């Protein structure tokens, strides 16, 4: 089954404790992205990657890191989480070829609470 | 820069009413894609429709229909005979062709029995 998986689905942590949210897709997509969703703000892009070893900042990259060492994986790293990073996080992937329609496939979401 | 505006923050209707969710977008690109996603209370994002900028045909899928008007930069979504299961947050999104998806802030639809 074609899918994007994220782990963990729920996480409660404390300020300053480094954490990683994993994202994996099995569709051989070139493009992967991370979004955060906050009430009243919709989804905002954190980072994206066009291919292996190529990453770029989105609209709200501060406080986050990403890496793309393999095509299928795109982990999101919070080196020193703060309460303002409490949010619902979505990973997404998409093919890049011209006629793909650019539809993004979303993971199930990770609800992060930083106390 | 790309922008998507969903002016309706929340809409409440009674079951069987028709409801239209508005979406207005801004882009300088001539080729782009527009999307609607549904987010039910369970939280996942469900893809509903994709439309490219060269296809202005309206589309109907069961109780759902979409009206794309390039002249007014709008891509509105209508649910006919709404049902309680339609209660969700609906997002309109724009992709200018290089895979960066810009979302509107969403419209919460509440359908009461």
């Amino acid at each position: 089954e074609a899918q994007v998986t994220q782990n963990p689905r729920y996480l409660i942590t404390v300020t300053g404790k480094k954490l990683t949210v994993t994202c994996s897709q099995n569709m051989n997509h070139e493009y992967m992205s991370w979004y955060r969703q906050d009430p009243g703000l919709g989804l905002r892009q954190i980072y994206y990657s066009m291919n292996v070893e190529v990453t770029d900042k989105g609209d709200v990259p501060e406080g986050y890191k990403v890496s793309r060492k393999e095509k299928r994986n795109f982990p999101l790293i919070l080196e020193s989480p703060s309460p303002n990073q409490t949010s619902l996080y979505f990973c997404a992937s998409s093919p890049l070829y011209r006629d793909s329609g650019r539809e993004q496939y979303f993971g199930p979401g990770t609800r992060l609470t930083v106390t | 820069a790309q922008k998507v505006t969903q002016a309706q923050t929340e809409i409440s209707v009674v079951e069987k009413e028709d409801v239209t969710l508005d979406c207005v977008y801004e882009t300088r690109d001539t080729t782009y894609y527009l999307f609607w996603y549904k987010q039910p209370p369970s939280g996942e994002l469900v893809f509903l429709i994709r439309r490219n900028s060269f296809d202005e045909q309206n589309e109907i899928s069961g109780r759902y229909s979409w009206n794309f008007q390039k002249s007014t930069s709008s891509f509105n979504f209508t649910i006919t005979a709404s049902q309680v299961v339609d209660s969700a947050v609906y997002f309109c999104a724009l992709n200018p062709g290089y895979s960066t998806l810009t979302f509107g802030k969403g419209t919460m639809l509440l359908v009461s029995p």
Side-chain angles (χ1 to χ4, degrees):
Chain A
E1 181 191 352
Q3 60 182 352
V4 178
T5 57
Q6 294 179 228
N7 281 292
R9 294 289 313 279
Y10 302 90
L11 179 60
I12 300 175
T13 189
V14 296
T15 299
K17 185 177 181 182
K18 181 179 179 179
L19 66 91
T20 298
V21 183
T22 65
C23 173
S24 184
Q25 50 95 3
N26 62 2
M27 295 166 279
N28 202 37
H29 288 165
E30 295 81 10
Y31 180 90
M32 296 186 74
S33 180
W34 277 102
Y35 299 87
R36 61 176 289 172
Q37 181 181 2
D38 302 289
L41 297 177
L43 281 85
R44 295 176 293 168
Q45 190 176 51
I46 303 171
Y47 269 95
Y48 65 95
S49 169
M50 295 285 202
N51 215 325
V52 175
E53 302 293 0
V54 180
T55 62
D56 268 305
K57 296 178 180 179
D59 297 321
V60 288
E62 294 77 22
Y64 304 95
K65 285 175 60 176
V66 293
S67 69
R68 187 90 182 273
K69 293 185 172 59
E70 305 166 282
K71 198 172 186 179
R72 63 182 293 127
N73 296 324
F74 191 46
L76 179 69
I77 303 156
L78 285 72
E79 296 259 348
S80 183
S82 62
N84 64 13
Q85 293 178 298
T86 292
S87 188
L88 177 59
Y89 292 86
F90 287 99
C91 180
S93 73
S94 168
L96 273 181
Y97 52 87
R98 180 181 292 277
D99 296 325
S100 70
R102 304 288 191 254
E103 178 188 339
Q104 297 206 3
Y105 296 77
F106 284 86
T110 295
R111 190 167 292 279
L112 172 66
T113 302
V114 184
T115 61
Chain B
Q2 333 295 325
K3 186 178 180 182
V4 176
T5 302
Q6 294 180 256
Q8 304 146 310
T9 306
E10 185 173 320
I11 301 176
S12 293
V13 299
V14 177
E15 221 173 6
K16 297 184 184 175
E17 282 186 33
D18 298 347
V19 58
T20 295
L21 283 60
D22 298 331
C23 173
V24 174
Y25 62 93
E26 294 175 29
T27 181
R28 292 181 182 174
D29 294 274
T30 55
T31 301
Y32 51 89
Y33 297 88
L34 294 162
F35 300 84
W36 277 95
Y37 287 88
K38 173 182 180 180
Q39 187 177 44
S42 50
E44 74 273 21
L45 286 164
V46 178
F47 167 77
L48 295 178
I49 190 173
R50 170 185 60 241
R51 174 66 71 225
N52 76 50
S53 52
F54 296 107
D55 183 2
E56 288 194 69
Q57 272 192 325
N58 292 330
E59 181 154 339
I60 297 175
S61 176
R63 295 184 297 105
Y64 295 171
S65 63
W66 291 269
N67 182 293
F68 176 33
Q69 291 197 330
K70 217 167 171 179
S71 59
T72 56
S73 297
S74 65
F75 186 42
N76 297 336
F77 172 32
T78 297
I79 301 174
T80 303
S82 59
Q83 300 176 1
V84 173
V85 293
D86 295 327
S87 296
V89 180
Y90 291 86
F91 290 99
C92 180
L94 166 70
N95 185 322
Y98 43 86
S99 288
T100 297
L101 202 56
T102 299
F103 283 85
K105 293 183 179 180
T107 297
M108 178 178 286
L109 175 63
L110 300 171
V111 183
S112 53

